[in-house]
Amino acid sequence: GAGVSQTPSNKVTEKGKYVELRCDPISGHTALYWYRQSLGQGPEFLIYFQGTGAADDSGLPNDRFFAVRPEGSVSTLKIQRTERGDSAVYLCASSPQGVDGYTFGSGTRLTVV
Amino acid sequence: AQSVTQPDIHITVSEGASLELRCNYSYGATPYLFWYVQSPGQGLQLLLKYFSGDTLFQGIKGFEAEFKRSQSSFNLRKPSVHWSDAAEYFCAVVFFSGGYNKLIFGAGTRLAVHP
């Protein structure tokens, strides 16, 4: 597609459940980023992929969060044993090599009840 | 460490008035800077970016930004605000490490426009 696609757009889950959030980047973009945006805050970096490997996962808050990008395209952010504090909008961005061309998806709004 | 500060959490202006949103960055070398806008329920849209060269940059929707190295600032301006400009605005700086880069965002400024 022409842009970064994120699914689902909204996800409501119960505390303690497992969720997966999907990001489909722009074709050919080798770099993929996940960000988390809590209410009233700016996007906070979670993890960066270059190709299939996670080059920087320093932003993942704890070991309940994990992300994969097995074929260097689609990425999945996985959250185990969700907590109410995980409620936020999760944004995905992709870019070609270099500092230009970051494109963000519309995000997945996760609500943990 | 790289960081971005947006001192104003909320700003309200009247339609037709001028606007300036402040952004200060912390970075040891020449920064790469961005301004994004986010309307309610929407994704981040790039307004403009600074990589090098001139200090005054034109972006989309009539926005411009001025880079002042001496003040470590990259303030966003618009001469005449429209009601449709009401949104949240984020300043961001590129952080470089180990051959890759990532965006670091400020906390944002929420703009309200009075008719």
Side-chain angles (χ1 to χ4, degrees), chain B residues 28-71:
Chain B
T30 300
Y32 294 80
L33 297 160
F34 297 77
W35 273 101
Y36 284 87
V37 60
Q38 188 177 41
S39 298
Q42 303 297 311
L44 290 164
Q45 181 182 20
L46 179 66
L47 281 177
L48 47 75
K49 56 193 175 187
Y50 167 79
F51 287 174
S52 66
D54 293 340
T55 59
L56 188 62
F57 292 83
Q58 301 297 322
I60 63 171
K61 302 184 178 185
F63 284 91
E64 62 184 25
E66 185 172 16
F67 172 66
K68 292 185 177 180
R69 184 185 300 277
S70 61
Q71 298 178 16

mmCIF file of all heavy atoms in Angstrom, chain B residues 28-71:
data_model
loop_
_atom_site.group_PDB
_atom_site.id
_atom_site.type_symbol
_atom_site.label_atom_id
_atom_site.label_comp_id
_atom_site.label_asym_id
_atom_site.label_seq_id
_atom_site.Cartn_x
_atom_site.Cartn_y
_atom_site.Cartn_z
ATOM 1 N N GLY B 28 24.496 17.413 20.736
ATOM 2 C CA GLY B 28 25.879 17.856 20.681
ATOM 3 C C GLY B 28 26.349 18.314 19.320
ATOM 4 O O GLY B 28 27.278 19.087 19.207
ATOM 5 N N ALA B 29 25.726 17.852 18.257
ATOM 6 C CA ALA B 29 26.176 18.182 16.902
ATOM 7 C C ALA B 29 25.043 18.881 16.166
ATOM 8 O O ALA B 29 24.057 19.287 16.768
ATOM 9 C CB ALA B 29 26.589 16.899 16.185
ATOM 10 N N THR B 30 25.193 19.033 14.870
ATOM 11 C CA THR B 30 24.127 19.645 14.084
ATOM 12 C C THR B 30 22.895 18.753 14.134
ATOM 13 O O THR B 30 22.965 17.590 13.764
ATOM 14 C CB THR B 30 24.569 19.808 12.625
ATOM 15 O OG1 THR B 30 25.721 20.646 12.586
ATOM 16 C CG2 THR B 30 23.448 20.450 11.816
ATOM 17 N N PRO B 31 21.800 19.292 14.595
ATOM 18 C CA PRO B 31 20.605 18.444 14.750
ATOM 19 C C PRO B 31 19.810 18.318 13.463
ATOM 20 O O PRO B 31 19.873 19.162 12.589
ATOM 21 C CB PRO B 31 19.799 19.212 15.793
ATOM 22 C CG PRO B 31 20.116 20.646 15.502
ATOM 23 C CD PRO B 31 21.557 20.669 15.049
ATOM 24 N N TYR B 32 19.087 17.219 13.373
ATOM 25 C CA TYR B 32 18.053 17.048 12.360
ATOM 26 C C TYR B 32 16.721 17.183 13.099
ATOM 27 O O TYR B 32 16.441 16.411 14.003
ATOM 28 C CB TYR B 32 18.160 15.689 11.684
ATOM 29 C CG TYR B 32 19.408 15.516 10.863
ATOM 30 C CD1 TYR B 32 20.623 15.201 11.453
ATOM 31 C CD2 TYR B 32 19.381 15.672 9.476
ATOM 32 C CE1 TYR B 32 21.775 15.053 10.687
ATOM 33 C CE2 TYR B 32 20.522 15.519 8.710
ATOM 34 C CZ TYR B 32 21.727 15.207 9.321
ATOM 35 O OH TYR B 32 22.851 15.067 8.565
ATOM 36 N N LEU B 33 15.907 18.139 12.700
ATOM 37 C CA LEU B 33 14.718 18.507 13.465
ATOM 38 C C LEU B 33 13.463 18.415 12.624
ATOM 39 O O LEU B 33 13.488 18.690 11.420
ATOM 40 C CB LEU B 33 14.876 19.940 13.992
ATOM 41 C CG LEU B 33 16.029 20.143 14.969
ATOM 42 C CD1 LEU B 33 16.427 21.604 15.047
ATOM 43 C CD2 LEU B 33 15.638 19.623 16.347
ATOM 44 N N PHE B 34 12.380 18.061 13.261
ATOM 45 C CA PHE B 34 11.100 17.881 12.588
ATOM 46 C C PHE B 34 9.986 18.529 13.423
ATOM 47 O O PHE B 34 10.069 18.606 14.649
ATOM 48 C CB PHE B 34 10.757 16.383 12.453
ATOM 49 C CG PHE B 34 11.698 15.591 11.610
ATOM 50 C CD1 PHE B 34 12.925 15.196 12.099
ATOM 51 C CD2 PHE B 34 11.337 15.208 10.331
ATOM 52 C CE1 PHE B 34 13.799 14.449 11.323
ATOM 53 C CE2 PHE B 34 12.196 14.449 9.543
ATOM 54 C CZ PHE B 34 13.423 14.072 10.046
ATOM 55 N N TRP B 35 8.947 18.958 12.725
ATOM 56 C CA TRP B 35 7.682 19.299 13.357
ATOM 57 C C TRP B 35 6.597 18.417 12.745
ATOM 58 O O TRP B 35 6.485 18.302 11.521
ATOM 59 C CB TRP B 35 7.316 20.768 13.130
ATOM 60 C CG TRP B 35 7.878 21.705 14.136
ATOM 61 C CD1 TRP B 35 8.970 22.524 14.002
ATOM 62 C CD2 TRP B 35 7.373 21.956 15.455
ATOM 63 N NE1 TRP B 35 9.171 23.255 15.146
ATOM 64 C CE2 TRP B 35 8.199 22.928 16.053
ATOM 65 C CE3 TRP B 35 6.289 21.465 16.192
ATOM 66 C CZ2 TRP B 35 7.993 23.407 17.346
ATOM 67 C CZ3 TRP B 35 6.078 21.935 17.468
ATOM 68 C CH2 TRP B 35 6.921 22.898 18.039
ATOM 69 N N TYR B 36 5.797 17.795 13.642
ATOM 70 C CA TYR B 36 4.661 16.985 13.223
ATOM 71 C C TYR B 36 3.390 17.569 13.821
ATOM 72 O O TYR B 36 3.407 18.176 14.900
ATOM 73 C CB TYR B 36 4.800 15.539 13.736
ATOM 74 C CG TYR B 36 5.797 14.696 12.988
ATOM 75 C CD1 TYR B 36 7.146 14.697 13.346
ATOM 76 C CD2 TYR B 36 5.399 13.886 11.933
ATOM 77 C CE1 TYR B 36 8.060 13.904 12.665
ATOM 78 C CE2 TYR B 36 6.303 13.097 11.255
ATOM 79 C CZ TYR B 36 7.636 13.118 11.632
ATOM 80 O OH TYR B 36 8.538 12.335 10.947
ATOM 81 N N VAL B 37 2.268 17.326 13.129
ATOM 82 C CA VAL B 37 0.963 17.704 13.642
ATOM 83 C C VAL B 37 0.101 16.455 13.750
ATOM 84 O O VAL B 37 0.202 15.550 12.920
ATOM 85 C CB VAL B 37 0.288 18.766 12.742
ATOM 86 C CG1 VAL B 37 0.080 18.250 11.325
ATOM 87 C CG2 VAL B 37 -1.034 19.214 13.349
ATOM 88 N N GLN B 38 -0.703 16.414 14.796
ATOM 89 C CA GLN B 38 -1.588 15.270 15.019
ATOM 90 C C GLN B 38 -2.979 15.787 15.368
ATOM 91 O O GLN B 38 -3.174 16.392 16.421
ATOM 92 C CB GLN B 38 -1.045 14.399 16.148
ATOM 93 C CG GLN B 38 -1.781 13.095 16.346
ATOM 94 C CD GLN B 38 -1.158 12.244 17.442
ATOM 95 O OE1 GLN B 38 -0.752 12.750 18.481
ATOM 96 N NE2 GLN B 38 -1.056 10.941 17.210
ATOM 97 N N SER B 39 -3.928 15.544 14.478
ATOM 98 C CA SER B 39 -5.318 15.895 14.750
ATOM 99 C C SER B 39 -5.958 14.761 15.537
ATOM 100 O O SER B 39 -5.477 13.621 15.481
ATOM 101 C CB SER B 39 -6.057 16.148 13.441
ATOM 102 O OG SER B 39 -5.480 17.241 12.761
ATOM 103 N N PRO B 40 -7.039 15.045 16.258
ATOM 104 C CA PRO B 40 -7.668 14.006 17.089
ATOM 105 C C PRO B 40 -7.984 12.742 16.290
ATOM 106 O O PRO B 40 -8.613 12.811 15.235
ATOM 107 C CB PRO B 40 -8.945 14.691 17.582
ATOM 108 C CG PRO B 40 -8.612 16.134 17.590
ATOM 109 C CD PRO B 40 -7.705 16.354 16.413
ATOM 110 N N GLY B 41 -7.510 11.618 16.786
ATOM 111 C CA GLY B 41 -7.781 10.344 16.145
ATOM 112 C C GLY B 41 -6.998 10.093 14.875
ATOM 113 O O GLY B 41 -7.233 9.087 14.194
ATOM 114 N N GLN B 42 -6.066 10.974 14.573
ATOM 115 C CA GLN B 42 -5.286 10.828 13.341
ATOM 116 C C GLN B 42 -3.831 10.489 13.646
ATOM 117 O O GLN B 42 -3.370 10.613 14.780
ATOM 118 C CB GLN B 42 -5.335 12.135 12.527
ATOM 119 C CG GLN B 42 -6.735 12.584 12.174
ATOM 120 C CD GLN B 42 -7.428 11.597 11.288
ATOM 121 O OE1 GLN B 42 -6.878 11.142 10.281
ATOM 122 N NE2 GLN B 42 -8.649 11.228 11.643
ATOM 123 N N GLY B 43 -3.128 10.085 12.604
ATOM 124 C CA GLY B 43 -1.706 9.814 12.756
ATOM 125 C C GLY B 43 -0.892 11.093 12.704
ATOM 126 O O GLY B 43 -1.417 12.194 12.590
ATOM 127 N N LEU B 44 0.405 10.944 12.794
ATOM 128 C CA LEU B 44 1.323 12.077 12.753
ATOM 129 C C LEU B 44 1.574 12.500 11.306
ATOM 130 O O LEU B 44 1.925 11.672 10.470
ATOM 131 C CB LEU B 44 2.651 11.694 13.413
ATOM 132 C CG LEU B 44 2.605 11.497 14.919
ATOM 133 C CD1 LEU B 44 3.836 10.749 15.393
ATOM 134 C CD2 LEU B 44 2.503 12.840 15.629
ATOM 135 N N GLN B 45 1.407 13.782 11.053
ATOM 136 C CA GLN B 45 1.671 14.319 9.716
ATOM 137 C C GLN B 45 2.869 15.253 9.776
ATOM 138 O O GLN B 45 2.929 16.151 10.618
ATOM 139 C CB GLN B 45 0.445 15.072 9.186
ATOM 140 C CG GLN B 45 0.641 15.634 7.777
ATOM 141 C CD GLN B 45 -0.557 16.409 7.287
ATOM 142 O OE1 GLN B 45 -1.396 16.852 8.067
ATOM 143 N NE2 GLN B 45 -0.637 16.580 5.985
ATOM 144 N N LEU B 46 3.811 15.067 8.875
ATOM 145 C CA LEU B 46 5.001 15.901 8.853
ATOM 146 C C LEU B 46 4.662 17.302 8.340
ATOM 147 O O LEU B 46 4.068 17.453 7.275
ATOM 148 C CB LEU B 46 6.060 15.265 7.950
ATOM 149 C CG LEU B 46 7.364 16.032 7.806
ATOM 150 C CD1 LEU B 46 8.114 16.076 9.133
ATOM 151 C CD2 LEU B 46 8.232 15.397 6.716
ATOM 152 N N LEU B 47 5.031 18.311 9.120
ATOM 153 C CA LEU B 47 4.838 19.703 8.705
ATOM 154 C C LEU B 47 6.075 20.236 7.999
ATOM 155 O O LEU B 47 5.972 20.876 6.954
ATOM 156 C CB LEU B 47 4.555 20.587 9.918
ATOM 157 C CG LEU B 47 3.150 20.577 10.488
ATOM 158 C CD1 LEU B 47 3.098 21.461 11.724
ATOM 159 C CD2 LEU B 47 2.123 21.016 9.463
ATOM 160 N N LEU B 48 7.229 20.026 8.596
ATOM 161 C CA LEU B 48 8.474 20.451 7.985
ATOM 162 C C LEU B 48 9.647 19.808 8.708
ATOM 163 O O LEU B 48 9.478 19.210 9.769
ATOM 164 C CB LEU B 48 8.615 21.979 7.960
ATOM 165 C CG LEU B 48 8.306 22.745 9.244
ATOM 166 C CD1 LEU B 48 9.408 22.606 10.267
ATOM 167 C CD2 LEU B 48 8.133 24.240 8.914
ATOM 168 N N LYS B 49 10.820 19.930 8.080
ATOM 169 C CA LYS B 49 12.015 19.304 8.622
ATOM 170 C C LYS B 49 13.212 20.196 8.355
ATOM 171 O O LYS B 49 13.248 20.967 7.387
ATOM 172 C CB LYS B 49 12.239 17.921 7.999
ATOM 173 C CG LYS B 49 12.327 17.945 6.480
ATOM 174 C CD LYS B 49 12.227 16.534 5.913
ATOM 175 C CE LYS B 49 12.186 16.588 4.384
ATOM 176 N NZ LYS B 49 11.924 15.249 3.797
ATOM 177 N N TYR B 50 14.204 20.100 9.231
ATOM 178 C CA TYR B 50 15.458 20.839 9.081
ATOM 179 C C TYR B 50 16.609 19.854 9.101
ATOM 180 O O TYR B 50 16.746 19.064 10.043
ATOM 181 C CB TYR B 50 15.638 21.839 10.224
ATOM 182 C CG TYR B 50 17.045 22.393 10.292
ATOM 183 C CD1 TYR B 50 17.450 23.392 9.434
ATOM 184 C CD2 TYR B 50 17.976 21.869 11.190
ATOM 185 C CE1 TYR B 50 18.741 23.882 9.474
ATOM 186 C CE2 TYR B 50 19.271 22.356 11.238
ATOM 187 C CZ TYR B 50 19.650 23.355 10.379
ATOM 188 O OH TYR B 50 20.932 23.827 10.415
ATOM 189 N N PHE B 51 17.443 19.931 8.045
ATOM 190 C CA PHE B 51 18.633 19.096 8.018
ATOM 191 C C PHE B 51 19.895 19.959 8.047
ATOM 192 O O PHE B 51 20.858 19.643 8.713
ATOM 193 C CB PHE B 51 18.641 18.208 6.772
ATOM 194 C CG PHE B 51 17.658 17.072 6.831
ATOM 195 C CD1 PHE B 51 17.445 16.258 5.735
ATOM 196 C CD2 PHE B 51 16.931 16.798 7.976
ATOM 197 C CE1 PHE B 51 16.541 15.202 5.792
ATOM 198 C CE2 PHE B 51 16.029 15.761 8.052
ATOM 199 C CZ PHE B 51 15.834 14.957 6.941
ATOM 200 N N SER B 52 19.905 21.041 7.269
ATOM 201 C CA SER B 52 21.062 21.931 7.263
ATOM 202 C C SER B 52 20.723 23.139 6.400
ATOM 203 O O SER B 52 19.697 23.162 5.723
ATOM 204 C CB SER B 52 22.302 21.227 6.703
ATOM 205 O OG SER B 52 22.114 20.922 5.340
ATOM 206 N N GLY B 53 21.625 24.134 6.416
ATOM 207 C CA GLY B 53 21.466 25.257 5.509
ATOM 208 C C GLY B 53 20.723 26.422 6.110
ATOM 209 O O GLY B 53 20.981 26.824 7.243
ATOM 210 N N ASP B 54 19.750 26.955 5.371
ATOM 211 C CA ASP B 54 19.014 28.144 5.789
ATOM 212 C C ASP B 54 18.363 27.946 7.139
ATOM 213 O O ASP B 54 18.041 26.830 7.543
ATOM 214 C CB ASP B 54 17.937 28.498 4.758
ATOM 215 C CG ASP B 54 18.534 28.945 3.445
ATOM 216 O OD1 ASP B 54 19.715 29.341 3.447
ATOM 217 O OD2 ASP B 54 17.834 28.872 2.431
ATOM 218 N N THR B 55 18.140 29.065 7.817
ATOM 219 C CA THR B 55 17.585 28.975 9.167
ATOM 220 C C THR B 55 16.078 29.075 9.188
ATOM 221 O O THR B 55 15.452 28.757 10.193
ATOM 222 C CB THR B 55 18.175 30.076 10.051
ATOM 223 O OG1 THR B 55 17.860 31.353 9.470
ATOM 224 C CG2 THR B 55 19.678 29.934 10.168
ATOM 225 N N LEU B 56 15.465 29.554 8.096
ATOM 226 C CA LEU B 56 14.013 29.694 8.058
ATOM 227 C C LEU B 56 13.467 28.724 7.018
ATOM 228 O O LEU B 56 13.879 28.758 5.858
ATOM 229 C CB LEU B 56 13.625 31.128 7.690
ATOM 230 C CG LEU B 56 12.137 31.474 7.794
ATOM 231 C CD1 LEU B 56 11.654 31.316 9.233
ATOM 232 C CD2 LEU B 56 11.907 32.890 7.300
ATOM 233 N N PHE B 57 12.556 27.871 7.438
ATOM 234 C CA PHE B 57 12.047 26.817 6.574
ATOM 235 C C PHE B 57 10.548 26.917 6.395
ATOM 236 O O PHE B 57 9.819 27.176 7.336
ATOM 237 C CB PHE B 57 12.373 25.442 7.181
ATOM 238 C CG PHE B 57 13.828 25.152 7.176
ATOM 239 C CD1 PHE B 57 14.646 25.634 8.175
ATOM 240 C CD2 PHE B 57 14.393 24.431 6.147
ATOM 241 C CE1 PHE B 57 16.001 25.387 8.155
ATOM 242 C CE2 PHE B 57 15.744 24.172 6.128
ATOM 243 C CZ PHE B 57 16.548 24.666 7.124
ATOM 244 N N GLN B 58 10.129 26.696 5.174
ATOM 245 C CA GLN B 58 8.708 26.675 4.869
ATOM 246 C C GLN B 58 8.216 25.235 4.884
ATOM 247 O O GLN B 58 8.874 24.337 4.360
ATOM 248 C CB GLN B 58 8.465 27.290 3.488
ATOM 249 C CG GLN B 58 8.949 28.733 3.347
ATOM 250 C CD GLN B 58 8.219 29.684 4.275
ATOM 251 O OE1 GLN B 58 7.030 29.561 4.491
ATOM 252 N NE2 GLN B 58 8.962 30.629 4.858
ATOM 253 N N GLY B 59 7.050 25.058 5.478
ATOM 254 C CA GLY B 59 6.466 23.733 5.479
ATOM 255 C C GLY B 59 5.118 23.757 4.792
ATOM 256 O O GLY B 59 4.800 24.681 4.054
ATOM 257 N N ILE B 60 4.312 22.744 5.076
ATOM 258 C CA ILE B 60 2.993 22.683 4.480
ATOM 259 C C ILE B 60 2.009 23.505 5.314
ATOM 260 O O ILE B 60 2.304 23.886 6.444
ATOM 261 C CB ILE B 60 2.508 21.228 4.361
ATOM 262 C CG1 ILE B 60 2.356 20.593 5.748
ATOM 263 C CG2 ILE B 60 3.468 20.415 3.502
ATOM 264 C CD1 ILE B 60 1.670 19.241 5.725
ATOM 265 N N LYS B 61 0.858 23.777 4.741
ATOM 266 C CA LYS B 61 -0.250 24.450 5.418
ATOM 267 C C LYS B 61 0.127 25.849 5.910
ATOM 268 O O LYS B 61 -0.477 26.355 6.856
ATOM 269 C CB LYS B 61 -0.761 23.621 6.609
ATOM 270 C CG LYS B 61 -1.238 22.234 6.248
ATOM 271 C CD LYS B 61 -1.815 21.528 7.462
ATOM 272 C CE LYS B 61 -2.342 20.161 7.085
ATOM 273 N NZ LYS B 61 -3.018 19.494 8.221
ATOM 274 N N GLY B 62 1.124 26.480 5.296
ATOM 275 C CA GLY B 62 1.482 27.838 5.665
ATOM 276 C C GLY B 62 2.370 27.964 6.883
ATOM 277 O O GLY B 62 2.638 29.072 7.357
ATOM 278 N N PHE B 63 2.842 26.826 7.410
ATOM 279 C CA PHE B 63 3.728 26.865 8.570
ATOM 280 C C PHE B 63 5.184 27.101 8.149
ATOM 281 O O PHE B 63 5.599 26.713 7.067
ATOM 282 C CB PHE B 63 3.641 25.552 9.360
ATOM 283 C CG PHE B 63 2.395 25.422 10.177
ATOM 284 C CD1 PHE B 63 1.266 24.815 9.647
ATOM 285 C CD2 PHE B 63 2.355 25.905 11.473
ATOM 286 C CE1 PHE B 63 0.107 24.702 10.399
ATOM 287 C CE2 PHE B 63 1.203 25.787 12.239
ATOM 288 C CZ PHE B 63 0.086 25.186 11.701
ATOM 289 N N GLU B 64 5.933 27.709 9.055
ATOM 290 C CA GLU B 64 7.362 27.882 8.870
ATOM 291 C C GLU B 64 8.043 27.686 10.215
ATOM 292 O O GLU B 64 7.396 27.757 11.276
ATOM 293 C CB GLU B 64 7.697 29.270 8.315
ATOM 294 C CG GLU B 64 7.299 30.412 9.224
ATOM 295 C CD GLU B 64 7.552 31.774 8.602
ATOM 296 O OE1 GLU B 64 7.585 31.885 7.363
ATOM 297 O OE2 GLU B 64 7.725 32.732 9.372
ATOM 298 N N ALA B 65 9.321 27.405 10.183
ATOM 299 C CA ALA B 65 10.076 27.226 11.418
ATOM 300 C C ALA B 65 11.428 27.893 11.269
ATOM 301 O O ALA B 65 12.012 27.915 10.185
ATOM 302 C CB ALA B 65 10.249 25.748 11.749
ATOM 303 N N GLU B 66 11.903 28.432 12.386
ATOM 304 C CA GLU B 66 13.196 29.103 12.390
ATOM 305 C C GLU B 66 14.154 28.357 13.307
ATOM 306 O O GLU B 66 13.852 28.128 14.487
ATOM 307 C CB GLU B 66 13.066 30.546 12.857
ATOM 308 C CG GLU B 66 14.385 31.315 12.768
ATOM 309 C CD GLU B 66 14.233 32.790 13.044
ATOM 310 O OE1 GLU B 66 13.185 33.192 13.601
ATOM 311 O OE2 GLU B 66 15.165 33.551 12.714
ATOM 312 N N PHE B 67 15.298 27.987 12.760
ATOM 313 C CA PHE B 67 16.340 27.291 13.509
ATOM 314 C C PHE B 67 17.326 28.328 14.041
ATOM 315 O O PHE B 67 17.882 29.109 13.267
ATOM 316 C CB PHE B 67 17.060 26.299 12.595
ATOM 317 C CG PHE B 67 18.283 25.666 13.215
ATOM 318 C CD1 PHE B 67 18.150 24.816 14.301
ATOM 319 C CD2 PHE B 67 19.551 25.917 12.715
ATOM 320 C CE1 PHE B 67 19.267 24.230 14.873
ATOM 321 C CE2 PHE B 67 20.670 25.326 13.274
ATOM 322 C CZ PHE B 67 20.521 24.482 14.356
ATOM 323 N N LYS B 68 17.520 28.330 15.354
ATOM 324 C CA LYS B 68 18.481 29.238 15.981
ATOM 325 C C LYS B 68 19.462 28.403 16.795
ATOM 326 O O LYS B 68 19.155 27.975 17.919
ATOM 327 C CB LYS B 68 17.781 30.253 16.876
ATOM 328 C CG LYS B 68 16.932 31.269 16.128
ATOM 329 C CD LYS B 68 16.371 32.315 17.080
ATOM 330 C CE LYS B 68 15.567 33.381 16.332
ATOM 331 N NZ LYS B 68 15.007 34.396 17.244
ATOM 332 N N ARG B 69 20.643 28.211 16.227
ATOM 333 C CA ARG B 69 21.633 27.370 16.889
ATOM 334 C C ARG B 69 22.040 27.951 18.238
ATOM 335 O O ARG B 69 22.206 27.217 19.207
ATOM 336 C CB ARG B 69 22.878 27.209 16.000
ATOM 337 C CG ARG B 69 23.931 26.276 16.567
ATOM 338 C CD ARG B 69 25.164 26.284 15.690
ATOM 339 N NE ARG B 69 24.871 25.855 14.342
ATOM 340 C CZ ARG B 69 24.796 24.590 13.963
ATOM 341 N NH1 ARG B 69 25.011 23.627 14.840
ATOM 342 N NH2 ARG B 69 24.533 24.284 12.712
ATOM 343 N N SER B 70 22.174 29.269 18.317
ATOM 344 C CA SER B 70 22.651 29.907 19.553
ATOM 345 C C SER B 70 21.674 29.698 20.703
ATOM 346 O O SER B 70 22.066 29.715 21.869
ATOM 347 C CB SER B 70 22.873 31.400 19.319
ATOM 348 O OG SER B 70 21.662 32.024 18.942
ATOM 349 N N GLN B 71 20.417 29.510 20.367
ATOM 350 C CA GLN B 71 19.393 29.315 21.398
ATOM 351 C C GLN B 71 18.918 27.865 21.468
ATOM 352 O O GLN B 71 18.020 27.558 22.252
ATOM 353 C CB GLN B 71 18.201 30.229 21.127
ATOM 354 C CG GLN B 71 18.555 31.716 21.182
ATOM 355 C CD GLN B 71 17.366 32.604 20.858
ATOM 356 O OE1 GLN B 71 16.221 32.169 20.879
ATOM 357 N NE2 GLN B 71 17.646 33.869 20.537
#
